[in-house]
Amino acid sequence: EEQKRLLENRPDQPQNPKVLRIAIIGAPNAGKSTLCNQLLGRKVFPVSKKVHTTRCKARGIITHEDTQLIILDTPGLTNPLKAKRHNLDEAMLTDPWDSMEHADLVLVLVDVSDHWTRNSLSKEVLKCLSQFPHIPSVLVLNKVDILKKKFLLLEIVTDLTEGIVNGKKLEVKSAVKPDSRSSVKSPLQITRASPPESKASGSPCGQEKNQAREGSGLDKSCDFGVSSTEEAQGLKHYGPEDLKDMKGWPHFQEIFMLAALHGEEVDTLKRYLLMRAKPGSWEFHSDVLTSQSPQEICDNIIREKVLEYLPLEVPYGVTQVTDVWEEGECGELIIVQSLLVPRESHKRMLIGRGGKVISRIAQEAGQDLMNAFLCDVRLKLQVEVKS
């Protein structure tokens, strides 16, 4: 009821409010929800190693002083064939596009630890960017801490940007030493995307903006510059034929490198986002952290655990039904949820030998719900076969 009241309340506008709506897009399992949770400072979006954990568009709200960031966490961009395979709703295909229509800035998240996909943006991501070329976009390389050969970042960045950042051609000034073992501590000189002599004067936010960019990359032993002589071609419309031959997007304004799971360099990105905000009315009360209802958060967290502990495609057929949602005598939240599965064999898998699997799911989900709701939670899960 309190969350409902906050969402219905008129936002408590400061004197000079600023706002930025951010769409985060990328392939399934790139780490979008993990990044959202780190930016928010609390876990409100489900996270799992399995693809398509996020099933619908959800908003996270960061309010800092006079600025409100509205983060649109979207399902991973997928195609109809894969959507059918994972029993995904139609919304899974349309929500990312809806988010783009309302965004002031788009973050494209790429998992650099996946050697199969890291050197090219998926066709779905490229199609999405090409439909909205007027929306400023930023490339965010995630899971950089897992990448052992840091010198590969030079190649990855060149491929994903088509060699162009912020309208200027990238120049590799020096390569990373092959034995570099740094984590995500100091920057590739890549986020400036302008010649060193003009970095402060050419930026709308001047030196303050450049300070936020410090640390937004990875390793000072590798250095990207920008050729001031070769300007990139102006913004143009890309048709299906153009996209066929493209691996990257030549209109990214900035590049950030981070490890969202451990929160490394997330603050640098957050500072940058706060500085990109424009004058505009807040959409939410400053106490609101997410547009989701408590029931939605609960469903998402339980589904996350089910995805984690069940093999392959099985969890995508689970239906959740909340039977009890009430406050106990001591102020604790009592939740009873039924998990409906299509087959008896799935029921046995979900319960586990001696009830171990379902007990573990209930225990871990209950702990996450306590952290999300900041109150005691008693969670009971029961498994039934769909009639």
Side-chain angles (χ1 to χ4, degrees):
E1 285 177 4
E2 186 185 346
Q3 171 74 344
K4 191 178 176 186
R5 182 178 55 78
L6 281 172
L7 288 171
E8 288 172 352
N9 268 3
R10 189 174 294 174
D12 46 339
Q13 305 284 353
Q15 201 165 359
N16 299 300
K18 289 189 283 185
V19 70
L20 186 73
R21 295 168 195 82
I22 306 142
I24 303 183
I25 66 169
N29 221 25
K32 296 181 292 297
S33 296
T34 302
L35 178 59
C36 287
N37 288 335
Q38 290 286 5
L39 287 166
L40 290 167
R42 206 191 305 172
K43 183 175 179 177
V44 292
F45 297 113
V47 178
S48 166
K49 291 186 183 74
K50 291 213 173 67
V51 296
H52 304 305
T53 311
T54 300
R55 304 294 282 248
C56 62
K57 180 175 57 184
R59 285 181 165 91
I61 297 94
I62 298 167
T63 304
H64 179 75
E65 296 174 353
D66 61 353
T67 302
Q68 191 164 84
L69 303 179
I70 300 165
I71 301 169
L72 311 167
D73 182 36
T74 58
L77 281 160
T78 189
N79 59 46
L81 191 66
K82 289 177 185 171
K84 192 176 179 184
R85 190 194 307 161
H86 288 96
N87 296 322
L88 305 180
D89 299 332
E90 184 70 26
M92 294 285 283
L93 296 169
T94 58
D95 277 354
W97 296 83
D98 293 344
S99 294
M100 288 289 285
E101 284 179 0
H102 297 101
D104 304 311
L105 181 75
V106 57
L107 300 184
V108 178
L109 202 63
V110 175
D111 174 4
V112 296
S113 71
D114 187 339
H115 67 277
W116 296 106
T117 60
R118 65 189 176 203
N119 284 89
S120 62
L121 297 175
S122 74
K123 292 301 171 198
E124 285 81 20
V125 169
L126 279 172
K127 188 179 171 190
C128 206
L129 289 169
S130 69
Q131 293 288 322
F132 303 93
H134 57 285
I135 301 174
S137 56
V138 171
L139 177 63
V140 180
L141 303 185
N142 189 26
K143 309 185 189 181
V144 175
D145 54 323
I146 301 173
L147 193 67
K148 291 185 173 67
K149 298 173 180 176
K150 298 291 191 273
F151 63 89
L152 290 173
L153 284 165
L154 302 169
E155 182 190 317
I156 293 168
V157 165
T158 305
D159 286 343
L160 295 180
T161 62
E162 298 277 311
I164 296 166
V165 179
N166 203 12
K168 298 185 188 295
K169 207 146 198 174
L170 285 175
E171 244 178 23
V172 180
K173 291 180 179 174
S174 60
V176 184
K177 297 182 183 79
D179 61 347
S180 170
R181 288 178 192 159
S182 70
S183 178
V184 191
K185 294 195 174 96
S186 48
L188 275 169
Q189 306 294 318
I190 197 176
T191 54
R192 296 194 178 93
S194 58
E197 63 271 16
S198 65
K199 73 176 183 183
S201 58
S203 163
C205 301
Q207 289 178 329
E208 187 188 9
K209 190 169 177 181
N210 283 295
Q211 283 166 8
R213 292 174 184 169
E214 292 295 332
S216 58
L218 187 65
D219 189 54
K220 279 192 174 158
S221 59
C222 52
D223 192 8
F224 279 90
V226 181
S227 165
S228 52
T229 55
E230 294 189 78
E231 293 288 327
Q233 57 184 343
L235 212 59
K236 69 163 193 166
H237 179 74
Y238 291 90
E241 287 302 312
D242 299 310
L243 297 180
K244 210 182 286 179
D245 302 321
M246 288 172 66
K247 290 173 76 175
W249 181 245
H251 301 296
F252 288 122
Q253 294 192 350
E254 305 285 351
I255 300 170
F256 287 86
M257 304 189 182
L258 46 81
L261 185 62
H262 307 296
E264 294 184 63
E265 297 306 327
V266 173
D267 274 349
T268 307
L269 176 61
K270 189 173 176 178
R271 286 198 301 274
Y272 170 78
L273 296 174
L274 288 166
M275 282 188 285
R276 286 294 303 256
K278 302 273 173 59
S281 299
W282 287 1
E283 285 185 30
F284 297 92
H285 191 276
S286 58
D287 288 339
V288 174
L289 196 66
T290 175
S291 62
Q292 300 170 97
S293 69
Q295 285 93 338
E296 285 173 321
I297 293 172
C298 175
D299 285 353
N300 285 337
I301 284 174
I302 292 169
R303 192 180 68 252
E304 169 198 316
K305 304 303 175 190
V306 172
L307 282 166
E308 206 63 45
Y309 289 110
L310 285 191
L312 300 173
E313 308 288 310
V314 174
Y316 297 103
V318 175
T319 303
Q320 295 164 259
V321 178
T322 300
D323 304 310
V324 177
W325 183 288
E326 61 188 28
E327 193 175 326
E329 290 177 10
C330 303
E332 76 276 24
L333 178 60
I334 300 169
I335 303 168
V336 179
Q337 190 168 100
S338 296
L339 303 176
L340 309 180
V341 293
R343 297 189 185 91
E344 191 67 40
S345 59
H346 292 178
K347 178 180 177 179
R348 287 195 297 272
M349 266 189 266
L350 186 48
I351 292 173
R353 187 171 291 176
K356 280 186 179 175
V357 175
I358 197 68
S359 297
R360 192 169 179 182
I361 289 170
Q363 185 183 351
E364 291 186 13
Q367 186 60 54
D368 279 357
L369 289 169
M370 281 194 265
N371 295 338
F373 297 150
L374 304 179
C375 72
D376 285 335
V377 174
R378 277 169 47 200
L379 173 66
K380 182 185 176 186
L381 298 176
Q382 45 204 29
V383 187
E384 298 168 18
V385 178
K386 289 176 189 173
S387 53

